[in-house]
Structures are given as C-alpha cells and as structure tokens.
Amino acid sequence: MIKVTELTKYYGTVQALKGIDFEVKAGEIVGLLGPNGAGKSTAIKILTGYLQPDGGQVEVDGLDVLTHTREVQARIGYLPENTPLYPDLSVQGYLKMMADMREIPPDEQLARLSEAIYATGLAERLTQPIRQLSKGFRQRVGLAQAILHRPKLLILDEPTVGLDPTQIVEIRGLIKRLARHSTILFSSHILPEVEAVCDRVIIVMNGEVKEDARLSDLATTADAILVLQEKTEGVDKVLRGLSGVKKVDLLPQNGFPTYRITGEAKSDLCPSIYDVARQQSWPLRELRYDVRTLESVFNQLATAV
C-alpha cells in the first residue's frame, strides 16, 4: 500500500528526512513513532501530497504521489494532528460539505454518511454545532470525514492528543474497527497508544529510520534475567564463560542481586544458566527471559543517537 524509497527533505539547511525507506502492506496497522521533530509529520505531508520531497520516491497503492497526486489523495483518508473543523457548522452539515468536496455521488451520499456516522458513534450529535462538542467527539467528527469515501489508506497523525483516558480507549477501539477495511498508518510519540493499536512500528529519529519491526519481534530477545536470593561471589565470571553469552551486567536494583545476561542472536541461555546455577548451588530466586517493551527499545535508540 505504501512504498517509500530514499526519501529526503530539507527545510533550508536543516535536513528533516535523510533518505528513509519503508513499506506498509495492505491491511496492516503500522505505528510511525518518534520524538517531536523526528520527521514524522514531514513524511506524512509528503505521503498525502501536501509537501514535495527534495529526493526519493513515494508510492501509494502503486501510484507515484508526485505524478498522480489527485488519484493518491482520493485513496487516502487523513486526520491531521489539528483536526480541520468548522465550529459553527453542525456535525451533519460539516460531513455533508465534506461529502460534496470528496465528490461522492449524490445517490451514494446517504449510505456513505450513515456508514461513517454509525462507525464513529455520532448519531446522537448530528444537529449539534461542532463548537459545542467535547475534544473526543471532535476527534470522532474528524475521523468520520476521513472515512466518508471509504479510503484504502487511513493516515492518523496524533489522533489521541488531548483526550482523557475514557476518550482514548474509545478512539483506540474505533481505530481497530476501521482497520477491518483500511490500511492504517498511525503517527504518534505516545508509546502506550502505539502498543495498544499497532501491529508493527517504524521508529524515526533525526530524519532516519532506526527500527522497523513487528511489536512481537521487538519484544523477543536472546537475553536472560537472573535474580539471586543473596550476593554470591564469582557469578558474573561463571556466566561470562557460558556459550552464547556476550555480556553480563549487574543491574542497579534494590534488594536482590539481579543480572542481565546478553546473548548472541537466536541463543537460548536459560537452560544453561539454570544448569550452572544448580551445579554452583547459587541461591536462585528467579530466572526468566528478558522481554523488551517498546519504551525500552525507544529509549535505547534515543540514547544511541
């Protein structure tokens, strides 16, 4: 659905995108993740045809964005960070206007409007002026306009910013329902939202793609965590001698001695660690595989920049 190749963009002397590459397959929910100023919004503006790149190529549904801009935009539903609403219009007046602007045929508009309204839970708010809506319902209106034309690709830029916890859960569920019919590119710097909604993440930092992986793959490591009941001499030396061990770190945790044993790719350290702990009569309290969170991956990449 999306193919980005060697995409670059400058703002004056500042290079916002440094030749990034990534692909998004049809039906995926992909998180475009990064800190403020990482280049996420620039990439989205280029994807949607609102900004021209300085180099590289972008294709959406097999069409080049630069040479087939209108055709690409017709395939995209876009919810920017600041939802472009008209506060004096009613919900139904605004959505009818957007249906006209999308050139949805008059004989199809009722079905399309009904579909978007019920998908976003706006049926009881149709006659209400947009200015009277809560932030959460304004986001719903923005989502409704983005899906009116049944887009193949839905791009959401920070869709939950400013929402309360209840509204966030509602919007999260709505996004998952929309994914049944559209490929979704979900841009955010809020890590729990990405983990809750997305199948895969693309992490951008300083205009470069630093990670591109499924969340399930990110969580998998070849590392192990060993916790002992009490301090024991020579543990780190013995662990370093095990096959497949790259590094042993004593973690700065209160209470019990805790070691992270970093393994080589695809190594399985726990069985050999358990065997040596039993042979050495270590006071074993806990032995487990180390599972990375998206936050730990993000922080590791951020400190390496």
Side-chain angles (χ1 to χ4, degrees):
M1 182 56 67
I2 299 174
K3 184 176 182 180
V4 174
T5 308
E6 289 295 318
L7 187 62
T8 61
K9 179 63 183 177
Y10 286 86
Y11 295 108
T13 58
V14 177
Q15 190 173 11
L17 295 176
K18 303 175 182 178
I20 66 172
D21 300 90
F22 66 86
E23 294 186 15
V24 176
K25 296 179 181 178
E28 285 191 297
I29 307 178
V30 176
L32 185 61
L33 178 63
N36 291 328
K40 305 187 306 296
S41 293
T42 296
I44 285 175
K45 288 176 182 177
I46 293 172
L47 271 170
T48 52
Y50 291 107
L51 191 65
Q52 282 201 334
D54 293 310
Q57 186 176 22
V58 180
E59 294 181 5
V60 173
D61 198 23
L63 297 174
D64 187 284
V65 173
L66 289 180
T67 57
H68 298 85
T69 305
R70 291 297 298 273
E71 294 94 327
V72 167
Q73 289 174 338
R75 288 165 165 77
I76 293 176
Y78 178 35
L79 179 65
E81 182 175 354
N82 298 310
T83 311
L85 302 176
Y86 292 83
D88 292 329
L89 290 178
S90 66
V91 172
Q92 65 182 6
Y94 171 74
L95 293 178
K96 175 64 169 65
M97 180 187 72
M98 295 306 297
D100 291 336
M101 293 180 67
R102 282 287 186 183
E103 299 180 347
I104 297 173
D107 60 342
E108 295 182 20
Q109 284 194 11
L110 180 60
R112 299 287 188 91
L113 286 165
S114 297
E115 186 178 287
I117 286 164
Y118 284 103
T120 53
L122 290 170
E124 297 181 1
R125 307 280 176 164
L126 293 181
T127 60
Q128 192 170 350
I130 291 174
R131 68 173 179 274
Q132 294 180 4
L133 298 178
S134 67
K135 173 74 172 175
F137 274 101
R138 289 199 297 272
Q139 288 293 83
R140 289 173 183 241
V141 175
L143 277 169
Q145 67 80 23
I147 64 174
L148 269 176
H149 56 301
R150 298 172 183 164
K152 289 187 174 183
L153 173 63
L154 187 59
I155 298 178
L156 308 175
D157 192 359
E158 304 287 359
T160 60
V161 168
L163 303 186
D164 64 37
T166 300
Q167 293 168 337
I168 288 173
V169 171
E170 291 174 352
I171 295 297
R172 185 188 299 167
L174 175 57
I175 291 169
K176 289 183 176 180
R177 292 196 298 273
L178 294 173
R180 298 170 189 166
H181 308 289
S182 300
T183 302
I184 295 181
L185 184 65
F186 180 98
S187 173
S188 182
H189 63 275
I190 303 175
L191 304 184
E193 288 310 298
V194 175
E195 285 186 305
V197 172
C198 299
D199 307 314
R200 178 175 142 233
V201 292
I202 298 169
I203 301 177
V204 179
M205 292 186 176
N206 290 341
E208 299 177 310
V209 174
K210 296 295 185 180
E211 187 67 75
D212 183 350
R214 298 188 66 81
L215 284 170
S216 57
D217 294 335
L218 278 181
T220 303
T221 73
D223 303 343
I225 298 294
L226 172 67
V227 183
L228 300 181
Q229 189 71 29
E230 59 189 33
K231 186 176 181 180
T232 305
E233 294 296 327
V235 171
D236 53 349
K237 182 178 180 181
V238 173
L239 290 173
R240 289 190 187 98
L242 295 177
S243 176
V245 172
K246 294 172 61 178
K247 186 172 64 169
V248 178
D249 296 303
L250 180 61
L251 302 182
Q253 296 186 6
N254 296 326
F256 303 101
T258 303
Y259 300 85
R260 176 185 288 118
I261 303 95
T262 303
E264 297 173 356
K266 298 183 179 180
S267 59
D268 185 1
L269 298 177
C270 283
S272 57
I273 293 172
Y274 177 77
D275 288 341
V276 76
R278 187 177 59 179
Q279 293 167 9
Q280 298 286 331
S281 299
W282 291 342
L284 183 63
R285 181 179 178 86
E286 181 182 358
L287 175 62
R288 58 180 169 84
Y289 295 101
D290 187 22
V291 179
R292 296 189 299 177
T293 64
L294 183 56
E295 181 178 5
S296 66
V297 173
F298 187 89
N299 289 335
Q300 182 180 4
L301 292 171
T303 56
V305 171

